[in-house]
């Protein structure tokens, strides 16, 4: 209503707010033609939901990547780059765009040395948008700076055209039976299944595997999906190692004050008393 009444041209919303907007049954009744950009970020967004937003709201979606230590300046995916030859490019939608004019981006190994294109490692940033460090906390600053790079704590890779893909938070990576599983990849697969609205994937303790993949799901009312059906479909898409071993259906997922899914709270009940959190 506000976009229509005030002829809003540019707006930024976290993915959860965009999902809520798309859930409104009367969305098409409003005139949103004033919008030039609808920015999304602060958390991974479902590719299926980006496509739906483009189809229902218009070719105005605009993504990117930043963090408090280098705000809104690491990479940018403008509206027009969501398309190739006039068609939505699903692969491009998985990225957070290319480095901005004030940033140099690289994928780093554990010693902060750049890795080749396509390899996964920690995303490092240099440039004028990077902060000097944490105020009066040199030891904390030293933890996120190495070889001149700011260490983002995010795992990703770069393709041959310079597009950056984030696959997980470094601390969110699940190691199950010796295999690395990136929770974001599992979440994207789950949200491709019709009827699944939101997914949050964590690792939970397992005597056999060390950790095993588990998922919290919000599903559409009356969709009739069973745990077995969802896990089977997920295995078909990404394989048995990455597919969840268990599902927990919830009405709402806990959120942080900025609207991100609170995985720390989700993990809490499982790892309490375990003496470890991975």
């Amino acid at each position: 209503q506000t976009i229509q009444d005030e002829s809003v041209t540019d707006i930024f919303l976290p993915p959860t707010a965009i999902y809520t907007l798309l859930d409104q049954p009367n969305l098409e009744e409003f005139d949103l033609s004033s919008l030039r950009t609808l920015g999304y970020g602060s958390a991974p967004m479902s590719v299926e939901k980006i496509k739906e937003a483009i189809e229902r709201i218009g070719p105005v979606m605009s993504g990117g990547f930043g963090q408090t230590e280098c705000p809104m300046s690491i990479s940018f995916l403008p509206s027009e780059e969501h398309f190739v030859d006039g068609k939505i490019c699903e692969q491009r939608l998985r990225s957070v765009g290319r480095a901005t004019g004030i940033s140099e981006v690289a994928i780093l190994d554990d010693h902060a040395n750049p890795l080749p294109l396509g390899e996964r490692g920690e995303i490092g940033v240099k440039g004028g948008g990077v902060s000097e460090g944490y105020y009066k906390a040199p030891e904390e600053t030293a933890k996120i700076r190495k070889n001149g790079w700011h260490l983002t704590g995010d795992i990703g890779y770069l393709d041959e055209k310079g597009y950056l893909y984030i696959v997980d938070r470094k601390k969110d990576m699940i190691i199950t039976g010796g295999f690395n599983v990136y929770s974001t990849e599992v979440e994207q697969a789950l949200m491709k299944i019709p009827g699944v609205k939101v997914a949050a994937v964590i690792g939970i303790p397992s005597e056999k595997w060390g950790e095993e993949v588990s998922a919290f799901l919000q599903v559409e009312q009356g969709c009739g999906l069973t745990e077995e059906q969802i896990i089977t479909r997920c295995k078909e898409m990404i394989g048995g190692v990455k597919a969840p071993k268990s599902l927990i259906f919830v009405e709402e997922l806990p959120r942080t004050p900025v609207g991100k899914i609170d995985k720390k709270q989700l993990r809490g009940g499982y790892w309490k008393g375990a003496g470890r959190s991975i």
Side-chain angles (χ1 to χ4, degrees):
Q1 184 73 56
T2 303
I3 292 171
Q4 175 179 281
D5 292 350
E6 304 295 335
S7 296
V8 173
T9 57
D10 301 87
I11 187 172
F12 176 89
L13 295 171
T16 50
I18 298 174
Y19 298 166
T20 303
L21 184 65
L22 295 174
D23 280 342
Q24 302 309 306
N26 61 342
L27 177 63
E28 278 72 22
E29 295 177 12
F30 295 91
D31 180 5
L32 308 182
S33 60
S34 63
L35 276 179
R36 297 182 304 193
T37 59
L38 196 169
Y40 60 92
S42 81
M45 184 166 173
S46 160
V47 170
E48 297 304 311
K49 293 293 186 181
I50 300 173
K51 288 164 61 178
E52 182 182 349
I54 292 172
E55 289 161 0
R56 297 181 62 194
I57 299 174
V60 296
M61 303 303 288
S62 175
F65 172 46
Q67 52 183 206
T68 303
E69 296 84 352
C70 31
M72 304 298 289
S73 64
I74 298 175
S75 66
F76 181 54
L77 184 68
S79 303
E80 63 270 18
E81 292 187 22
H82 288 61
F83 302 84
V84 172
D85 296 329
K87 296 180 180 179
I88 295 175
C89 178
E90 185 167 323
Q91 180 62 27
R92 189 76 55 76
L93 268 53
R94 300 180 190 281
S95 82
V96 289
R98 294 186 277 196
T100 66
I102 60 169
S103 294
E104 179 184 351
V105 174
I107 305 301
L108 308 173
D109 64 17
D110 290 338
H111 304 288
N113 297 311
L115 289 166
L117 290 179
E119 289 199 26
R120 296 183 177 194
E122 185 166 3
I123 301 167
V125 188
K126 292 180 181 180
V130 178
S131 66
E132 293 182 11
Y134 297 125
Y135 182 61
K136 292 185 178 180
E139 291 182 0
E140 291 302 312
T141 299
K143 292 177 183 177
I144 59 163
R145 300 290 156 81
K146 202 168 186 178
N147 287 354
W149 294 99
H150 165 68
L151 307 178
T152 64
D154 289 305
I155 302 294
Y157 65 93
L158 288 162
D159 69 14
E160 68 282 355
K161 293 185 178 180
Y163 286 94
L164 175 65
Y165 298 80
I166 301 174
V167 296
D168 215 344
R169 288 290 294 169
K170 197 170 185 178
K171 63 184 179 182
D172 282 348
M173 188 174 70
I174 301 162
I175 303 176
T176 178
F179 291 94
N180 293 346
V181 176
Y182 299 98
S183 60
T184 303
E185 183 180 1
V186 185
E187 288 161 358
Q188 290 283 358
L190 287 165
M191 292 180 66
K192 282 186 175 181
I193 300 171
V196 175
K197 293 173 65 176
V198 185
V201 171
I202 63 169
I204 64 174
S206 167
E207 288 188 12
K208 183 176 182 180
W209 305 109
E211 284 184 276
E212 66 179 46
V213 182
S214 185
F216 290 78
L217 300 180
Q218 285 178 228
V219 298
E220 293 175 3
Q221 191 171 6
C223 70
L225 285 170
T226 67
E227 181 177 34
E228 183 180 1
Q229 288 172 331
I230 294 172
I231 292 176
T232 298
R233 182 71 186 98
C234 205
K235 285 180 178 178
E236 291 170 355
M237 287 189 281
I238 58 175
V241 171
K242 298 177 181 179
K245 298 287 191 296
S246 60
L247 304 177
I248 301 94
F249 294 93
V250 296
E251 290 189 10
E252 291 290 337
L253 286 161
R255 305 282 179 180
T256 67
V258 295
K260 296 182 181 181
I261 295 171
D262 191 344
K263 289 191 176 182
K264 184 177 180 180
Q265 184 175 331
L266 294 178
R267 288 192 193 94
Y270 292 94
W271 292 98
K272 189 176 181 180
R276 62 192 180 94
S277 58
I278 56 173

